[in-house]
Amino acid sequence: MSTMQLYVWGPALNAPSIDPKCVVIESYLRLIQQSYTIVRCNDPQQSPTGELPLLKNGSAWIAGVDRILAHLAHCNKDANKNLLPEQKAEYLAYSALVQDKLYDCMLYTWYADSTNFVKNIRPTYAKLLSFPARYIVPIQLKNNAKARLAKYNVEITGDDVGAPQNEKEEMKELLKTGWHHMYRLARETYDILQKQLDNKNYMFNDSPTTLDCIVFGYLALHLYPELAHRRLQHILMNEYPQLVQYCNRIRDLLFTSKGNAQESEPAEDVPSLWKTFKNNPVGFLGSIKDDIVSYMGTSDKESKKEKSQVQIDFERKRIWSIAGGITFFLAYVIYNGIISVELNDESYDSEEEE
């Protein structure tokens, strides 16, 4: 098998990556024993979708966790070969559950909990990112999370004000706020996964499959991060020890025993947002205008109603990603004196202004 190149967020918070989707793909590459190198680029703007992971296989670039998994499954038929037809249907259901509910619970504890965001999440991203992204990306991610989580319509109040230091007492206090909705969602999802696991080593049998990579990728970022408020970790360790053992089993199998992946330099032909802007700035900005107009809508109110929530969420995410890319680019060129700004016929170079 040829060597592939995987672009990911780097390890953080005691997990193989700060992003669960990156953990999923690297876990699967290790599971199928695919030769690959890794680029810890920590830069979602290197991806044409504005998100990581990104996979290079020969001359092909594949972005998005579902597309990458589908591509790898096409290249390697062994990971799920022992699944029965009904198990393949269950795989889709469990995969959707994990990527939706577990991810939402993680986002709540990272971004709605202001203590975790200020003390852990924002500083961690700041270490992974370079200037000026370290000042922009955490806020952008928080805004993305807020937009995604709006569907729950849960008011979060007093998440870190006056709560007891004792974890159990703190949990009791938090039940009086909107947080109990997310704890209930987490427990419901944990219940489903633990019942499916039963007494098996893995979700379907005694051999890991793609589903195990997906579950581990998202569950790992519930269990391993040592946050200021380790609420999901507390629930897992005290109420779902089987899931804890399951996570540790996969971590030991795929990461501890296999060591670190070889790192490589980024390829020259990365299809990033930067290159699109550089090669054709007028066309790039024109496409942004079209995207914004499409998202904001026109005077035709009926066209808005015809869009599904999935479409709206996708368009919102795309606007955030593109806007973030433009912000990073402009901040970079201005900071480094690549352009100058003229006001009242006087030129002010950005380096002189600094």
Side-chain angles (χ1 to χ4, degrees):
M1 291 185 287
S2 61
T3 299
M4 299 180 181
Q5 192 178 47
L6 180 66
Y7 293 69
V8 295
W9 285 100
L13 303 173
N14 297 323
S17 171
I18 197 173
D19 187 278
K21 296 180 288 295
C22 294
V23 180
V24 170
I25 299 303
E26 189 169 7
S27 299
Y28 187 73
L29 285 167
R30 289 169 177 255
L31 174 63
I32 63 176
Q33 299 182 8
Q34 168 68 49
S35 176
Y36 74 100
T37 61
I38 199 162
V39 180
R40 305 190 193 282
C41 63
N42 302 324
D43 183 3
Q45 303 308 320
Q46 285 201 14
S47 169
T49 62
E51 290 185 308
L52 296 173
L54 175 68
L55 181 72
K56 177 177 173 62
N57 184 12
S59 60
W61 291 91
I62 306 96
V65 64
D66 291 328
R67 289 184 178 179
I68 294 175
L69 286 175
H71 176 80
L72 293 173
H74 179 74
C75 297
N76 187 298
K77 304 295 185 180
D78 293 334
N80 297 322
K81 66 179 181 180
N82 295 324
L83 293 185
L84 300 173
E86 60 270 21
Q87 289 177 327
K88 292 181 180 180
E90 290 177 350
Y91 157 78
L92 295 175
Y94 286 118
S95 175
L97 175 75
V98 168
Q99 294 187 63
D100 184 26
K101 304 307 181 186
L102 287 188
Y103 191 46
D104 288 348
C105 291
M106 186 202 84
L107 292 178
Y108 259 100
T109 58
W110 284 22
Y111 297 107
D113 186 323
S114 58
T115 296
N116 281 346
F117 179 72
V118 171
K119 292 186 176 181
N120 303 110
I121 303 307
R122 187 168 61 189
T124 300
Y125 274 110
K127 292 178 181 178
L128 293 172
L129 295 162
S130 58
F131 179 89
R134 66 167 59 102
Y135 300 108
I136 302 170
V137 169
I139 301 302
Q140 181 184 352
L141 292 173
K142 186 173 184 178
N143 289 335
N144 288 347
K146 183 179 179 180
R148 176 185 170 102
L149 298 171
K151 60 188 176 184
Y152 292 103
N153 195 29
V154 175
E155 182 181 359
I156 304 299
T157 58
D159 65 320
D160 60 353
V161 180
Q165 294 300 310
N166 180 278
E167 190 79 20
K168 291 184 178 180
E169 292 301 318
E170 179 183 311
M171 295 278 283
K172 292 178 181 178
E173 289 296 318
L174 288 167
L175 289 178
K176 301 174 183 178
T177 74
W179 277 94
H180 73 279
H181 292 285
M182 299 313 295
Y183 287 140
R184 182 175 61 193
L185 179 64
R187 285 187 171 94
E188 288 173 353
T189 309
Y190 296 158
D191 280 335
I192 293 171
L193 294 175
Q194 186 157 282
K195 287 177 182 177
Q196 173 62 25
L197 185 63
D198 197 19
N199 292 319
K200 303 185 295 295
N201 286 332
Y202 303 101
M203 283 292 155
F204 286 124
N205 43 49
D206 289 329
S207 298
T209 66
T210 310
L211 179 61
D212 295 291
C213 298
I214 295 172
V215 175
F216 172 74
Y218 286 84
L219 206 55
L221 286 165
H222 286 217
L223 177 61
Y224 296 130
E226 295 293 333
L227 305 176
H229 291 158
R230 301 184 296 272
R231 293 156 185 166
L232 295 179
Q233 182 191 75
H234 176 85
I235 293 173
L236 279 168
M237 296 186 71
N238 287 276
E239 301 177 33
Y240 300 92
Q242 280 183 275
L243 290 181
V244 174
Q245 295 170 9
Y246 167 77
C247 274
N248 291 338
R249 186 180 302 118
I250 296 179
R251 180 194 59 187
D252 294 343
L253 173 70
L254 298 180
F255 289 90
T256 304
S257 63
K258 297 184 183 299
N260 296 323
Q262 181 180 350
E263 295 192 35
S264 60
E265 294 296 321
E268 295 182 356
D269 59 335
V270 179
S272 66
L273 289 172
W274 306 119
K275 290 188 176 179
T276 305
F277 182 89
K278 181 180 178 181
N279 294 336
N280 185 10
V282 175
F284 182 70
L285 292 173
S287 68
I288 293 169
K289 181 196 71 173
D290 293 340
D291 285 337
I292 293 174
V293 170
S294 174
Y295 172 67
M296 297 301 293
T298 63
S299 59
D300 184 2
K301 296 182 179 181
E302 292 302 317
S303 63
K304 286 185 180 181
K305 294 180 180 179
E306 292 175 358
K307 291 185 178 181
S308 67
Q309 186 61 45
V310 174
Q311 288 176 303
I312 294 172
D313 290 343
F314 175 81
E315 290 171 1
R316 181 188 293 117
K317 184 184 293 183
R318 190 175 181 213
I319 293 299
W320 273 112
S321 298
I322 294 173
I326 296 173
T327 304
F328 298 158
F329 182 81
L330 293 178
Y332 177 82
V333 297
I334 293 172
Y335 179 77
N336 288 279
I338 298 174
I339 65 172
S340 60
V341 180
E342 293 187 1
L343 296 174
N344 298 327
D345 298 327
E346 295 182 4
S347 178
Y348 296 86
D349 185 85
S350 60
E351 289 185 340
E352 294 176 357
E353 184 70 18
E354 182 186 19

